[in-house]
Amino acid sequence: MPPVSKIVSFMNIKIEDSWKRQLDEEFSKPYFIDLLTKIGLAYGNEKVFPPKDELFSAFNLTTFDNLKVVILGQDPYHGPGQAHGLSFSVPEGVRTPPSLRNIYKELATDVGVTGKTSGSLVAWAKQGVLLLNSTMTVLDGKPASHKGLGWEIFTDAVIKKISDEKAQVVFLLWGNFAKQKADLIDNAKHLILTATHPSPFSAYNGFLGCEHFSKTNKYLKKTGQKEIAW
């Protein structure tokens, strides 16, 4: 197999060093090489989100060493200018999407955080919240269009690696798709919190009122970790 440096630089992708060390073996597997080949062709021939230079933003903003919370999404926003490599987040200046508005509603009632005008969750990522989409790319206007290309194999491996190599991480699994990933996580070592998805179709059936943000900070404090400034 080609060396990891050659594989990772296939599309001039930059991945933070602590993740590179943890995922070296994964990057060398045939499925991942095939995946990057397909994604590279897609970026060359079609409009793909997020932009190529932001594809691994979740890993570059939240190092493996600093990680203490995981929020799992399904796939990126498929509208222009929305996806930037972080689940549920949009860049500064972009209108806050409906699911994120419900996340902010829960923040307000749960921990009293109000007045958020930006949809960017970069500040969370920098504090150790891994905002990971299970499928990391999507075609313009076509939700779930890159499902089944191989991203799920990779991100499942990421979740398993976090579970195996770290301890006392909080996993926030919102919606049926995310809940299925609980089988990858050792619940004797970590805290798993589940709720319905924050989308307008399901938020009132269990997401709003879940108190996941206060429960996360309570667990982090209990385990001697710094709480998240939501």
Side-chain angles (χ1 to χ4, degrees):
M1 291 294 170
V4 63
S5 58
K6 184 174 181 180
I7 298 165
V8 172
S9 64
F10 178 78
M11 295 192 302
N12 196 30
I13 291 170
K14 302 292 191 300
I15 300 176
E16 188 272 332
D17 285 344
S18 66
W19 281 110
K20 197 178 294 185
R21 289 192 298 271
Q22 292 294 331
L23 298 173
D24 182 85
E25 182 179 348
E26 208 64 30
F27 291 146
S28 301
K29 291 181 178 178
Y31 88 86
F32 190 80
I33 299 168
D34 181 59
L35 170 63
L36 280 195
T37 301
K38 291 175 181 175
I39 296 302
L41 289 171
Y43 272 111
N45 298 314
E46 303 176 86
K47 185 173 284 188
V48 179
F49 301 130
K52 188 171 65 174
D53 61 351
E54 295 181 309
L55 179 56
F56 282 86
S57 289
F59 299 89
N60 290 327
L61 289 168
T62 307
T63 71
F64 186 84
D65 298 336
N66 188 43
L67 184 156
K68 49 191 172 184
V69 181
V70 177
I71 299 179
L72 184 66
Q74 192 159 353
D75 66 342
Y77 297 118
H78 55 273
Q82 292 183 304
H84 65 145
L86 305 176
S87 63
F88 295 104
S89 179
V90 292
E92 293 282 354
V94 174
R95 184 180 179 184
T96 304
S99 292
L100 185 53
R101 288 202 295 271
N102 282 329
I103 290 171
Y104 285 173
K105 284 181 183 178
E106 179 59 22
L107 270 179
T109 58
D110 184 20
V111 293
V113 174
T114 60
K116 280 187 173 287
T117 57
S118 170
S120 173
L121 302 180
V122 167
W124 292 6
K126 289 181 177 179
Q127 293 177 77
V129 181
L130 181 69
L131 297 160
L132 179 67
N133 279 315
S134 182
T135 300
M136 292 176 55
T137 54
V138 69
L139 294 178
D140 181 17
K142 297 179 179 179
S145 48
H146 280 176
K147 182 180 179 181
L149 284 186
W151 280 125
E152 297 92 340
I153 302 172
F154 173 67
T155 52
D156 280 3
V158 170
I159 295 168
K160 186 72 163 54
K161 176 67 72 171
I162 295 168
S163 177
D164 291 349
E165 300 298 327
K166 293 186 72 71
Q168 301 173 335
V169 173
V170 182
F171 290 84
L172 303 183
L173 306 182
W174 299 334
N176 291 332
F177 175 83
K179 290 176 187 177
Q180 294 171 9
K181 306 301 181 180
D183 291 343
L184 300 169
I185 303 162
D186 183 349
N187 63 8
K189 293 171 57 183
H190 306 284
L191 176 63
I192 302 172
L193 298 175
T194 64
T196 60
H197 195 276
S199 84
F201 301 104
S202 56
Y204 288 91
N205 294 321
F207 177 77
L208 294 174
C210 68
E211 300 181 344
H212 280 187
F213 302 104
S214 60
K215 289 175 181 177
T216 294
N217 274 352
K218 183 177 180 180
Y219 179 82
L220 293 176
K221 184 176 182 179
K222 177 183 175 182
T223 54
Q225 302 179 75
K226 188 175 180 180
E227 298 169 74
I228 304 297
W230 301 111

